[in-house]
């Protein structure tokens, strides 16, 4: 129950600062900026009309009773492109998976303090896992598997005490697997098929950060 209390408390502080009109307008601008970055051959984002102040009427967008965007459901939509820093304005972004998104994961996603689940698997993301994710104190699910991520797993992520699910399998990560904090309970399948990644349960250990 503690994590839910933290989320509710943070929302109580956030909502009085922004009126629904101001909030949805900035969120609508962020979503429109995202649309400009994406190729959408099947027109799943056709309803994302920037002339409408309230993005809660757009398909694939879910809002709460205060007209705050709390969910994007773009899974299996056959879209491609990149993500940008403007997504930090979506304080409850949860899912964007199984598409063809490329480029680096924006470090600004680490500013989404109320984020509970982040599913970016099955894309073509490259670069390193942002250290800024250590700021996602409410995060429970982090799935980054089946991308082209490189570098090591940031040790800063061991501070995510609420993290229950972590999957970075099928990337090109290197270095050693963290064992502190929640990482003590994640099994080896969470790290599978990262040929340069090493941990205490893997055979043929090599020195720390070998190949990084």
């Amino acid at each position: 129950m503690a994590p839910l209390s933290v989320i509710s408390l943070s929302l109580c502080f956030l909502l009085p600062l922004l009126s629904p009109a101001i909030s949805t307008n900035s969120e609508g601008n962020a979503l429109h900026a995202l649309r400009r970055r994406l190729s959408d051959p099947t027109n799943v984002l056709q309803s994302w009309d920037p002339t409408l102040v309230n993005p809660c009427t757009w398909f694939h967008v879910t809002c709460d009773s205060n007209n705050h965007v709390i969910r994007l459901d773009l899974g299996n939509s056959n879209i491609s492109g990149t993500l940008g820093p403007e997504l930090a304005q979506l304080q409850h972004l949860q899912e964007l998976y199984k598409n063809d998104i490329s480029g680096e994961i924006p470090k600004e996603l680490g500013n989404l303090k109320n984020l509970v689940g982040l599913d970016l698997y099955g894309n073509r993301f490259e670069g390193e896992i942002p250290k800024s994710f250590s700021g996602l104190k409410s995060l429970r699910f982090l799935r980054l598997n089946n991308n082209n991520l490189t570098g090591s797993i940031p040790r800063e992520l061991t501070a995510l005490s609420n993290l229950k699910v972590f999957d970075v399998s099928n990337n090109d990560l290197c270095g050693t697997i963290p064992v502190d904090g929640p990482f003590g309970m994640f099994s080896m399948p969470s790290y599978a098929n990262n040929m340069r990644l090493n941990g205490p349960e893997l055979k043929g250990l090599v020195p720390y950060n070998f190949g990084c």
Side-chain angles (χ1 to χ4, degrees), residues 78-140:
N78 195 32
I79 61 177
S80 61
T82 61
L83 300 184
E86 59 275 353
L87 287 182
Q89 299 179 49
L90 304 178
Q91 292 296 308
H92 297 275
L93 178 66
Q94 291 189 14
E95 293 186 327
L96 187 63
Y97 62 94
K98 283 192 176 179
N99 284 289
D100 194 24
I101 308 299
S102 58
E104 297 187 355
I105 298 174
K107 62 182 180 181
E108 288 81 4
L109 293 184
N111 296 326
L112 302 179
K113 304 301 183 182
N114 297 309
L115 196 65
V116 174
L118 183 58
D119 288 330
L120 298 177
Y121 63 85
N123 287 284
R124 292 191 296 117
F125 286 113
E126 56 190 26
E128 299 185 354
I129 299 172
K131 293 180 180 180
S132 62
F133 281 6
S134 62
L136 302 176
K137 301 303 183 181
S138 299
L139 196 66
R140 296 182 181 181

Side-chain angles (χ1 to χ4, degrees), residues 153-176:
I153 298 173
R155 292 303 189 269
E156 290 83 354
L157 300 188
T158 60
L160 298 178
S161 58
N162 291 313
L163 194 62
K164 304 299 182 185
V165 175
F166 180 76
D167 191 347
V168 291
S169 59
N170 299 299
N171 281 288
D172 189 25
L173 299 175
C174 58
T176 56

Side-chain angles (χ1 to χ4, degrees), residues 2-60:
L4 293 179
S5 299
V6 172
I7 295 172
S8 299
L9 181 62
S10 60
L11 282 174
C12 288
F13 280 105
L14 175 65
L15 295 182
L17 298 176
L18 298 172
S19 69
I22 295 175
S23 174
T24 53
N25 185 53
S26 63
E27 291 173 338
N29 290 339
L31 291 176
H32 182 56
L34 172 62
R35 183 185 179 185
R36 291 199 304 267
R37 291 177 177 272
L38 299 176
S39 173
D40 179 23
T42 56
N43 292 320
V44 298
L45 305 180
Q46 187 174 12
S47 66
W48 289 23
D49 184 351
T51 64
L52 300 178
V53 174
N54 191 346
C56 299
T57 61
W58 301 355
F59 291 144
H60 310 290

